[in-house]
Amino acid sequence: MQTPTSNPEAERRIQKLTQHLNPLPHLPNTNYLYMLSCASRTKLNVDTSSLSSYMRGKHRDIQEKVFNYFNANPHLQTPLEISKDNHRELCMKQLVGLVREAGIRPLRYVLHDPSTYFSLLEAVGSVDMSLGIKMGVQYSLWGGSVMNLGTQKHKDKYYDGIDNLDYPGCFAMTELHHGSNVQGLQTIATFDPITDEFIIDTPNDGAIKWWIGNAAVHGKFATVFARLKLPTYDTKEVSDMGVHAFIVPIRDMKTHQPLPGIEIHDCGHKVGLNGVDNGALRFRSVRIPRDNLLNRFGDVSHDGKYTSNLPSANKRFAATLGELVGGRVGLAYSSVSVLKVAATIATRYSLLRQQFGPPNQPEVSILDYQSQQHKLMPMLASTYAFHFATTSLVEKYSEMKKTHDEELVADVHALSAGLKAYVTSYTAKSLSICREACGGHGYAAVNRFGSLRNDHDIFQTFEGDNTVLLQQVAGDLLKQYQGKFKGGTFSVTWNYLRESMNTYLSQPNPVTARWEGEDHLRNPKFQLDAFRYRTSRLLQSVAVRLRKHSKSLGNFGAWNRCLNHLLTLAESHIESVILAKFIEAVESSPDPSSQAALKLVCDLYALDRIWNDIGTYRNVDYVAPNKAKAIHKLSEYLCFQVRNIARELVDAFDLPDHVTRAPIAMQSEAYSQYTQHVGF
């Protein structure tokens, strides 16, 4: 049987026919600034109010309540220059005001309406990121741990005090020597059956609880994660039951002084978030009642017997951490709100700022320069993409809290890890790009990039180091891949791999690899197939490498040898998820004007990502040279088109003036407020 050979002449004819049927828009190679002049622009008509309503959804009211409260109380708005101690006190006053004066009760939303809570967190964090984190510590971490890891007796005793801020608290998990490796925590909780108490001890300096929010100044309680040690009567030793959570009072309710056996120290001035009072806790034989064990997943009786409805320490540990996944969801969602603020300031400034131009003609907006567009427009497209992806994550998380469906729990765990890692890393890089894009004026503190960058930077570390979280995603992908070849099925998030793995294992189609028409390149199916093909290729190749290296290096050594490959795999998968959610959002938009704008932005997001990794596609002939060139030219054209509606796109975020309060971004008062700020 003869193997069919390629026919160059036939391929050339197909290529020419495709170009006639789907021509690329004519993009002149010269006089670029003339092409960008206002007279020559054709742009979409975007109904900003409709797009904004679609973006902000059903939680607009709770956000407006926050913004209105701070507008009515300017003395509670964080000034530009403020000391660490004053910032901490102001932050507490802001939180108390929201709860006791504005009547906003976040704990109710944490437990019963997570999507509203995350929208509230977005609004609060945009006022002052320190306030957003402090609220998260009080209600999501301290409150959430008590309500989700405890049982009814804990809810009855602590709910009201947490809700109304009578019981300000901490979440004491991280230690000086252990952060990401929670199973390696060293703090000890030993049960004393004679007194019916647990004894909390810090056995060495490495076990000091570190970076604990609310601990340095305001906290009265802490959820302390410690190794549960139970007496073994037959051997007169103790058995280690693994990490459990305990409620430990740390300050006197009346005097606010540290309780006996509790040492509290201040972690001091930080790079950012100095409105949050991070502290360190050491415990010296601190006794707490047996009832202070948060016993939803494991309990200890009066005589020291351990019971659990989960069969192993690993399952109990996984269930405990699974209840805390909301923190990652919140960080991913909040990181997008930071990106919205930065992109808005940088885009508005770039539209206002004028530099140079053709001879004897007015200066042009710096956003008319291709280099500025390439810095900011793909970022703006990514902001939209991340918004829809994290909104979908919040909806999944809310559904998970209602149904407790095991498959959904696993899905949210993997998605929250990946999105938190990917989005926060992207935002951190983008904040520096925005500062640079605004030149020297971007360096002025009043224009916000410095505080946004410093406050957001730690998002890459807490609630799980980004590199560690991406490894979790890669590990889940490999489990799914292994299960597929054992006859299993992919779970919800990974469903697409069933088909794309089969596609990958076959050779790329030499005809479609050369299609370069605009309709084809802007087809969501082509874009999504390309993203998923890349993920499948990375997954299959890293599985082969791991199998090979494990024979000589062992599993740990093989993993470390392939670590960068694994991280790239995880990022590729998350990009596929993000694009899929963006495409869904475009198709679901009820307003034609908004849908057209979102389609344009989505196409830029997809093609810019493909072009940035074009080497991967070229290496396996998934994209032929002529098609790669067409992708590049079309992404440049889309960048220009998005620039034409950039103001409408950032206006649709509908951020209040006191959030985007950078003078360089204010259209009518652009420089009057700026010059007034420095004393003119």
Side-chain angles (χ1 to χ4, degrees):
M1 179 178 175
Q2 276 191 319
T3 304
T5 58
S6 63
N7 186 330
E9 179 61 22
E11 289 178 8
R12 186 186 66 80
R13 290 180 179 180
I14 290 172
Q15 176 184 336
K16 288 293 182 184
L17 180 60
T18 302
Q19 287 176 340
H20 283 300
L21 293 172
N22 298 302
L24 271 173
H26 176 64
L27 301 179
N29 295 319
T30 58
N31 296 328
Y32 187 75
L33 287 176
Y34 285 105
M35 180 185 78
L36 297 176
S37 66
C38 292
S40 67
R41 287 192 189 121
T42 57
K43 58 178 283 187
L44 292 171
N45 290 317
V46 182
D47 185 339
T48 304
S49 61
S50 295
L51 180 56
S52 180
S53 296
Y54 184 57
M55 291 283 290
R56 291 186 63 181
K58 61 184 179 180
H59 303 300
R60 197 184 193 105
D61 290 347
I62 190 73
Q63 293 188 330
E64 291 298 335
K65 193 171 184 180
V66 171
F67 296 143
N68 290 339
Y69 175 74
F70 282 101
N71 280 334
N73 293 275
H75 65 286
L76 290 178
Q77 293 182 21
T78 307
L80 181 64
E81 297 181 34
I82 185 170
S83 69
K84 167 177 66 69
D85 292 340
N86 288 342
H87 196 179
R88 289 173 170 182
E89 289 310 310
L90 176 61
C91 210
M92 190 62 181
K93 288 177 183 176
Q94 291 170 332
L95 185 57
V96 170
L98 278 174
V99 172
R100 297 180 181 173
E101 294 176 15
I104 295 172
R105 294 301 177 90
L107 189 59
R108 300 174 188 176
Y109 301 128
V110 169
L111 299 178
H112 305 299
D113 189 0
S115 59
T116 299
Y117 172 72
F118 291 124
S119 293
L120 170 63
L121 197 64
E122 178 183 27
V124 168
S126 64
V127 172
D128 186 332
M129 231 181 292
S130 287
L131 174 59
I133 297 301
K134 194 168 186 72
M135 189 178 84
V137 169
Q138 173 67 17
Y139 293 107
S140 181
L141 295 180
W142 154 238
S145 62
V146 173
M147 299 299 130
N148 292 321
L149 300 180
T151 49
Q152 192 59 46
K153 62 184 178 183
H154 301 109
K155 297 174 185 177
D156 294 341
K157 183 173 181 179
Y158 292 99
Y159 181 93
D160 288 341
I162 295 172
D163 187 45
N164 63 23
L165 285 174
D166 285 343
Y167 293 171
C170 317
F171 183 82
M173 178 180 280
T174 298
E175 295 177 356
L176 186 58
H177 283 181
H178 286 89
S180 298
N181 183 13
V182 179
Q183 285 184 302
L185 296 180
Q186 296 178 307
T187 302
I188 295 170
T190 307
F191 182 62
D192 181 352
I194 297 174
T195 61
D196 200 29
E197 294 173 317
F198 293 104
I199 305 168
I200 311 296
D201 267 307
T202 302
N204 54 63
D205 287 352
I208 296 172
K209 296 295 182 182
W210 206 269
W211 293 124
I212 309 304
N214 268 1
V217 178
H218 298 122
K220 294 182 184 293
F221 296 86
T223 295
V224 176
F225 288 80
R227 312 194 72 81
L228 172 59
K229 300 291 185 80
L230 296 178
T232 310
Y233 297 105
D234 52 346
T235 62
K236 296 185 179 180
E237 294 180 357
V238 293
S239 57
D240 187 338
M241 305 305 295
V243 175
H244 287 63
F246 303 82
I247 296 175
V248 181
I250 61 172
R251 285 187 173 92
D252 186 275
M253 290 297 293
K254 294 181 179 178
T255 67
H256 201 62
Q257 294 301 305
L259 292 169
I262 307 279
E263 290 183 24
I264 304 176
H265 296 276
D266 196 325
C267 287
H269 200 275
K270 306 184 294 292
V271 170
L273 296 177
N274 282 297
V276 182
D277 52 314
N278 293 88
L281 301 172
R282 182 195 284 273
F283 306 98
R284 298 187 187 274
S285 299
V286 175
R287 289 180 172 267
I288 58 172
R290 180 168 57 90
D291 277 350
N292 283 28
L293 167 66
L294 294 173
N295 61 338
R296 178 179 170 190
F297 298 117
D299 204 359
V300 176
S301 65
H302 179 73
D303 58 359
K305 290 183 179 178
Y306 186 83
T307 56
S308 174
N309 57 357
L310 297 172
S312 68
N314 282 341
K315 286 192 176 294
R316 291 192 294 272
F317 179 75
T320 298
L321 291 193
E323 286 299 318
L324 306 175
V325 75
R328 291 175 186 169
V329 176
L331 279 181
Y333 194 79
S334 296
S335 184
V336 179
S337 71
V338 176
L339 188 55
K340 288 177 184 175
V341 173
T344 297
I345 295 171
T347 300
R348 287 179 177 167
Y349 171 77
S350 298
L351 287 164
L352 290 167
R353 179 74 166 180
Q354 296 178 338
Q355 292 288 286
F356 305 110
N360 304 316
Q361 293 193 36
E363 292 184 304
V364 300
S365 161
I366 62 173
L367 198 55
D368 283 344
Y369 288 96
Q370 191 180 48
S371 56
Q372 192 80 346
Q373 291 174 15
H374 281 205
K375 285 178 184 177
L376 297 180
M377 295 303 96
M379 183 193 302
L380 185 54
S382 296
T383 307
Y384 270 80
F386 298 166
H387 168 85
F388 291 117
T390 55
T391 299
S392 174
L393 174 62
V394 166
E395 291 169 355
K396 279 197 173 192
Y397 175 77
S398 300
E399 184 65 21
M400 181 201 80
K401 295 294 286 182
K402 292 176 185 175
T403 64
H404 302 287
D405 178 78
E406 287 188 10
E407 191 173 273
L408 199 53
V409 169
D411 199 31
V412 169
H413 187 271
L415 264 181
S416 62
L419 282 171
K420 183 269 183 187
Y422 188 90
V423 171
T424 58
S425 291
Y426 185 93
T427 298
K429 295 181 181 76
S430 297
L431 287 166
S432 291
I433 292 171
C434 286
R435 202 294 304 157
E436 179 191 346
C438 294
H441 294 311
Y443 198 62
V446 70
N447 290 319
R448 299 209 65 193
F449 293 120
S451 60
L452 288 171
R453 184 171 57 187
N454 291 347
D455 286 346
H456 177 274
D457 194 63
I458 194 61
F459 280 38
Q460 300 173 92
T461 302
F462 59 23
E463 293 292 340
D465 174 86
N466 284 357
T467 303
V468 175
L469 293 182
L470 287 174
Q471 289 180 72
Q472 289 182 17
V473 175
D476 284 338
L477 279 163
L478 286 162
K479 286 178 185 175
Q480 299 283 338
Y481 176 76
Q482 186 180 37
K484 178 183 185 297
F485 291 101
K486 291 181 178 178
T489 58
F490 288 105
S491 61
V492 181
T493 298
W494 328 96
N495 264 338
Y496 72 85
L497 288 169
R498 184 184 298 108
E499 293 181 8
S500 54
M501 280 305 304
N502 293 332
T503 304
Y504 169 69
L505 293 172
S506 62
Q507 290 299 312
N509 186 320
V511 176
T512 57
R514 287 164 172 75
W515 285 355
E516 56 184 274
E518 182 182 355
D519 287 348
H520 168 66
L521 297 180
R522 296 188 67 176
N523 187 324
K525 186 178 187 311
F526 158 70
Q527 297 165 0
L528 204 49
D529 282 350
F531 275 49
R532 291 171 169 178
Y533 181 89
R534 178 184 56 168
T535 303
S536 298
R537 177 180 180 274
L538 288 164
L539 176 55
Q540 195 272 346
S541 57
V542 80
V544 170
R545 288 187 66 205
L546 285 168
R547 194 178 304 119
K548 171 188 171 184
H549 290 305
S550 62
K551 294 174 183 176
S552 57
L553 301 174
N555 290 339
F556 181 85
W559 187 272
N560 194 34
R561 175 67 66 86
C562 301
L563 189 50
N564 288 336
H565 193 159
L566 290 159
L567 298 176
T568 303
L569 164 65
E571 290 174 342
S572 176
H573 168 67
I574 293 303
E575 287 183 351
S576 298
V577 172
I578 291 169
L579 178 59
K581 294 303 174 187
F582 200 172
I583 290 170
E584 287 178 16
V586 173
E587 293 171 348
S588 301
S589 176
D591 172 59
S593 157
S594 300
Q595 188 174 60
L598 290 173
K599 175 70 172 100
L600 178 64
V601 174
C602 185
D603 288 340
L604 174 59
Y605 173 78
L607 294 178
D608 181 70
R609 287 294 190 283
I610 293 171
W611 173 250
N612 286 340
D613 199 20
I614 198 67
T616 297
Y617 297 105
R618 285 288 304 113
N619 285 342
V620 293
D621 288 328
Y622 189 84
V623 169
N626 63 304
K627 188 170 186 174
K629 185 177 180 181
I631 289 170
H632 185 217
K633 289 179 71 176
L634 182 55
S635 64
E636 283 192 340
Y637 177 72
L638 294 174
C639 208
F640 160 59
Q641 291 287 69
V642 170
R643 176 260 176 266
N644 284 344
I645 59 169
R647 178 171 295 282
E648 291 88 340
L649 290 172
V650 296
D651 286 351
F653 294 147
D654 200 18
L655 299 172
D657 287 342
H658 69 269
V659 170
T660 55
R661 58 183 175 267
I664 57 171
M666 296 178 181
Q667 185 169 13
S668 59
E669 316 154 78
Y671 293 103
S672 61
Q673 286 204 19
Y674 195 22
T675 53
Q676 288 170 20
H677 167 71
V678 296
F680 286 101

